[in-house]
Amino acid sequence: MRLSTVILPIHRWGEGQKIWRRAEDLGFHAAYTYDHLSWRSFRDEPWFGSVPTLTAAACATERIRLGTLVTSPNFRHPVTLAKELITLDDVSGGRVTLGIGAGGTGFDATATGQQAWSPKERADRFGEFLPLLDELLRSDATTREGTYYSAVEARNVPGCVQTPRVPFYVAATGPRGLRLAAEYGQGWVTYGDPKGPADVPVEQAPAVIAQQIAKLTAACEAKGRDVATLEKVLLQGSTAEKPLQSVDAFVDWAGTYRELGITELVIHWPVPDSIFENDLAVFEQIATEGLAQLG
């Protein structure tokens, strides 16, 4: 099992670079950031762009993997995103992972003046977005016409440092998204129950993940793929569970999800006076000792 962190893009770089370097020093497998235009309770607070933040982080670090958790079609197009990804992959020396999902109905959905898409349209768009992005990142030139997304002689030379392209970690819980994860993903991402933390008691949260993994397994079997070839990533912070209160709480939480088949845990870097407020000293102790105590 691997342990990673999410660093929100809320810090001016003079301060932010210290956090990304500290994440590497603490031994995290990866440091991700959210790819939003703004987000929930941080709506009127500082919030920077994900790709420039990750590019700066790539220059400030040497070993830690970097990525989005997650990008969506809400305000992106596969052609322009592909160009950004091959650049970021190059700057980082091949340390980039793209977390990607279908998007939602928050601020990102309407910030460019469009109407929020229905769940069906989000799924339809994602079903076009991901295959086109896959082709763009694998090919020097791409032409494809779609209902929502097209490319006309789109060039991506010299391509990604990683081969055949940067890894996709697909966030999905529904049948269509899980099929895309099985076909295109090197990893799968869940944050628990998609309805919200108030809907599932803490003691029932593992069962939700177990059910999702069972559906992912079925989707992989339908594609003729071994589910063990996908990383299974759990993003902490969207359920009522409190694994960052102490090292012991983390060990219990991590052990539960390791038994279910989760291969990477992602915990939020503490943010004072927010929903992600946690004791930084405990957080750093978890980073350095938590997995070792699993045995």
Side-chain angles (χ1 to χ4, degrees), residues 122-253:
R122 288 201 304 272
D124 289 344
R125 285 177 174 270
F126 192 39
E128 277 193 17
F129 192 103
L130 197 62
L132 177 53
L133 183 62
D134 173 71
E135 184 175 348
L136 286 159
L137 292 174
R138 292 172 182 266
S139 306
D140 290 346
T142 302
T143 296
R144 179 187 288 207
E145 183 176 353
T147 301
Y148 301 106
Y149 305 104
S150 298
V152 180
E153 288 295 314
R155 297 294 199 270
N156 279 301
V157 179
C160 298
V161 173
Q162 300 175 87
T163 56
R165 56 157 168 75
V166 300
F168 289 175
Y169 280 14
V170 181
T173 56
R176 296 176 68 182
L178 290 170
R179 287 196 294 270
L180 289 171
E183 184 170 0
Y184 294 99
Q186 284 65 57
W188 164 75
V189 180
T190 181
Y191 57 81
D193 187 82
K195 297 177 184 178
D199 295 326
V200 179
V202 169
E203 62 273 13
Q204 295 179 20
V208 172
I209 302 299
Q211 292 168 2
Q212 292 173 355
I213 292 176
K215 293 176 181 178
L216 176 67
T217 301
C220 286
E221 290 174 349
K223 292 290 183 182
R225 183 175 183 183
D226 184 354
V227 71
T229 63
L230 273 81
E231 297 293 334
K232 298 162 199 71
V233 183
L234 174 60
L235 172 62
Q236 168 268 335
S238 293
T239 71
E241 297 165 298
K242 302 293 183 183
L244 303 185
Q245 288 186 333
S246 68
V247 175
D248 288 344
F250 172 83
V251 170
D252 289 344
W253 176 76

Side-chain angles (χ1 to χ4, degrees), residues 13-76:
W13 192 241
E15 183 63 27
Q17 62 183 310
K18 300 174 186 176
I19 297 175
W20 289 85
R21 289 193 185 109
R22 183 59 178 160
E24 181 168 78
D25 291 342
L26 288 170
F28 282 109
H29 167 67
Y32 302 97
T33 198
Y34 283 2
D35 188 21
H36 293 292
L37 299 175
S38 59
W39 190 76
R40 298 186 186 179
S41 57
F42 294 85
R43 169 71 163 163
D44 296 314
E45 303 295 329
W47 192 275
F48 294 96
S50 65
V51 174
T53 295
L54 290 169
T55 304
C59 295
T61 59
E62 297 178 353
R63 303 175 305 278
I64 194 169
R65 289 198 64 83
L66 308 165
T68 56
L69 213 63
V70 297
T71 293
S72 79
N74 272 346
F75 58 93
R76 296 202 176 274

